Amino acid sequence: MPQQEARRGNVVWALVITSVAGFMAALDNLVVTTALPSIREDLGGALDDLEWTVSAYTLTFAVLLMFGAALGDRFGRRRLFGVGLTVFTAASAGAALAPGIDALVAARAVQGVGAAIMMPLTLTLLTAAVPPAKRGMAYGIWGAVNGLAVASGPLIGGALTEHVSWQWIFWLNVPLGLALLPLARLRLTESYAAGARLDALGTLLASGGLFGIVYGLIRGNIDGWTSAPVLTGLAGGGALLAGFVYHGVRHPAPMLPMRMFRNRAFSAINAASLLMFVGMFGSIFLLSQFLQNVLHYSPTEAGLRMLPWTGMPMIVAPIAGYLSDRVGGRPVVTVGLALQAVGLGWFAVVLAPDVSYAAQLPALIISGVGMALYFAPAASLVMASVRPAEQGIASGANNALREVGGALGIAILASVFSAQGGYGPPRMFVDGLEPALWVGAGVVGLAAVAASLLPRRRGGAADAGAVPAEERVPVSA
């Protein structure tokens, strides 16, 4: 009996520690969006500097995420979780203390490094602590906490910025991180993966390639699309990514095996995820500033007004999960992405310097419902598209591609925004935002097309691509 109670206590502690750590990492994706006007006012900087305050985090998070998981497998998951948490916490303090925009961007990049090591290990540590029969519930709680972080990010960022200061969106992580560090050491069990190998070359190729492309997209309108730095970034980044693909084909144990993309289900859901985040992140980045700079809402008011979009998954996700079990994930994800595209297009249609919130609300609700219908079945579709032995790589790849999509989305939509309008009078801001939203709607529409290419559900089984049923396991297992 005492042994059972101790085991139950370890499960609870593992769930608390990993959920709070995941909340911190997920929150920092969007928490900065409603603080951007205040950051710009305090530290200065142009549009490209503001882009980097978000993209520096998402880029380092994305390209190092799978490498971080491999480091944990090789050197100890609890140990590396502690390292990642320490880096993330220290970088959060550095961001809060940043004396200028360049220092803030640098701190955000280091935050992303910490999150990339910490975040993927939360699930492996949780899996090791929870008995197989209870993992479905544990994963559900972990996922709900992460969803809450995404939903509340703009609101928390806005409230802290308005009522305390924008620095507190970063200070918030420090006491949480300091509390988790000793708990992780005392309450989590160390574990390793036999024969784990690191792919340093693959990490360097992916990191350099993505940085070059995002740099070129961000600087294009500033330096000119034919300028040497921009062309070098785009061409060099493209070449490095091509090298990453070749490496993934030829290397015996690459970070991301390219053979996995021969599976139609895996390719389709990952293409849909990448495109979804391009349109969604880029749009949220600009719309949160529109609400403050043009409509003159306070940061808290802007965060609250974004909730019908960012918070809708908390309400609709259970319904989406039920529908996915009944009809399969493919139609649910496809409809969700189509609704997200319609919502962005609706927003572009009603956009005006004096648009009322009532006119915006349908677009926000439609986008929120669409996001929820995508999120609920997407993870199941990813995991069901590969064999059990490859589910860790598949999950890491999907998360990395979503983060990459976020960084690219901000760069692409902000590029359209600055080419057609920019900061200045309200009319000028709207002139740039409208075509950017149409681009976002188009990209998410392409995501819906990609999702429609998922294999159809057969005979009542879950959508699973080409993986035989006997080789699959339920996502909750």
Side-chain angles (χ1 to χ4, degrees):
M1 193 71 175
Q3 190 175 4
Q4 281 186 337
E5 289 180 5
R7 190 179 299 117
R8 191 179 302 115
N10 287 338
V11 169
V12 172
W13 276 114
L15 184 58
V16 169
I17 293 166
T18 58
S19 294
V20 173
F23 180 90
M24 292 162 63
L27 181 72
D28 272 56
N29 267 316
L30 290 178
V31 72
V32 76
T33 53
T34 41
L36 290 173
S38 297
I39 291 172
R40 182 167 173 254
E41 185 178 334
D42 278 4
L43 302 183
L47 176 65
D48 60 307
D49 297 309
L50 296 182
E51 290 175 62
W52 279 117
T53 62
V54 182
S55 295
Y57 180 81
T58 56
L59 259 186
T60 52
F61 191 1
V63 298
L64 296 176
L65 193 147
M66 297 181 72
F67 190 66
L71 284 172
D73 290 344
R74 177 79 176 271
F75 298 110
R77 290 159 180 156
R78 185 185 66 183
R79 179 185 300 167
L80 265 293
F81 174 79
V83 170
L85 183 57
T86 300
V87 171
F88 183 87
T89 303
S92 296
L97 295 169
I101 196 73
D102 292 337
L104 177 59
V105 170
R108 288 284 285 165
V110 178
Q111 258 193 317
V113 174
I117 299 171
M118 172 180 73
M119 186 67 165
L121 297 176
T122 58
L123 269 181
T124 51
L125 288 166
L126 185 61
T127 301
V130 179
K134 296 184 178 179
R135 284 178 190 161
M137 181 180 67
Y139 291 162
I141 295 171
W142 181 90
V145 172
N146 277 266
L148 179 63
V150 174
S152 60
L155 178 58
I156 291 174
L160 288 173
T161 299
E162 181 179 353
H163 299 294
V164 191
S165 72
W166 65 261
Q167 285 88 349
W168 274 92
I169 65 178
F170 303 115
W171 281 127
L172 178 67
N173 294 322
V174 176
L176 290 174
L178 291 176
L180 288 182
L181 279 168
L183 288 174
R185 181 70 182 83
L186 295 171
R187 297 293 180 176
L188 296 178
T189 304
E190 186 62 279
S191 63
Y192 300 82
R197 299 173 66 180
L198 302 178
D199 182 12
L201 178 58
T203 302
L204 289 172
L205 289 170
S207 304
L210 289 167
F211 176 82
I213 288 174
V214 171
Y215 175 85
L217 289 169
I218 288 176
R219 298 295 303 181
N221 285 314
I222 301 160
D223 297 338
W225 291 100
T226 57
S227 66
V230 171
L231 289 177
T232 301
L234 294 174
L240 288 172
L241 285 183
F244 175 71
V245 172
Y246 180 78
H247 175 77
V249 172
R250 304 294 298 177
H251 195 273
M255 180 172 71
L256 180 57
M258 291 299 140
R259 59 178 169 73
M260 295 177 73
F261 289 96
R262 296 176 194 157
N263 181 331
R264 177 175 144 199
F266 184 78
S267 293
I269 189 59
N270 278 291
S273 297
L274 175 71
L275 293 168
M276 157 70 173
F277 271 68
V278 168
M280 182 192 71
F281 255 70
S283 299
I284 289 176
F285 173 79
L286 292 171
L287 282 169
S288 62
Q289 296 182 73
F290 167 76
L291 291 173
Q292 295 179 69
N293 291 340
V294 177
L295 300 184
H296 305 296
Y297 292 123
S298 70
T300 304
E301 289 170 340
L304 283 170
R305 280 161 176 76
M306 296 283 282
L307 274 181
W309 183 0
T310 58
M312 191 61 70
M314 301 300 293
I315 300 171
V316 179
I319 302 169
Y322 171 78
L323 290 173
S324 180
D325 289 340
R326 293 294 300 271
V327 303
R330 174 180 173 268
V332 177
V333 166
T334 303
V335 170
L337 291 169
L339 286 174
Q340 176 78 86
V342 169
L344 291 176
W346 190 316
F347 220 122
V349 168
V350 303
L351 205 62
D354 58 349
V355 61
S356 68
Y357 185 65
Q360 301 170 51
L361 196 55
L364 291 166
I365 293 173
I366 292 170
S367 295
V369 172
M371 185 192 294
L373 291 176
Y374 158 80
F375 272 129
S380 298
L381 288 168
V382 170
M383 301 298 262
S385 69
V386 298
R387 292 173 172 79
E390 295 178 326
Q391 287 184 335
I393 296 174
S395 176
N398 184 255
N399 282 315
L401 285 170
R402 294 196 309 188
E403 295 292 333
V404 166
L408 289 175
I410 291 169
I412 292 168
L413 267 65
S415 229
V416 174
F417 168 78
S418 58
Q420 301 297 320
Y423 293 116
R427 184 71 257 172
M428 184 180 179
F429 198 104
V430 169
D431 286 344
L433 179 56
E434 184 178 341
L437 288 178
W438 280 119
V439 170
V443 171
V444 180
L446 288 176
V449 173
S452 72
L453 298 177
L454 282 159
R456 292 179 182 274
R457 172 175 170 158
R458 298 188 193 92
D463 314 66
V467 182
E470 66 272 12
E471 293 188 13
R472 289 185 277 111
V473 294
V475 176
S476 59

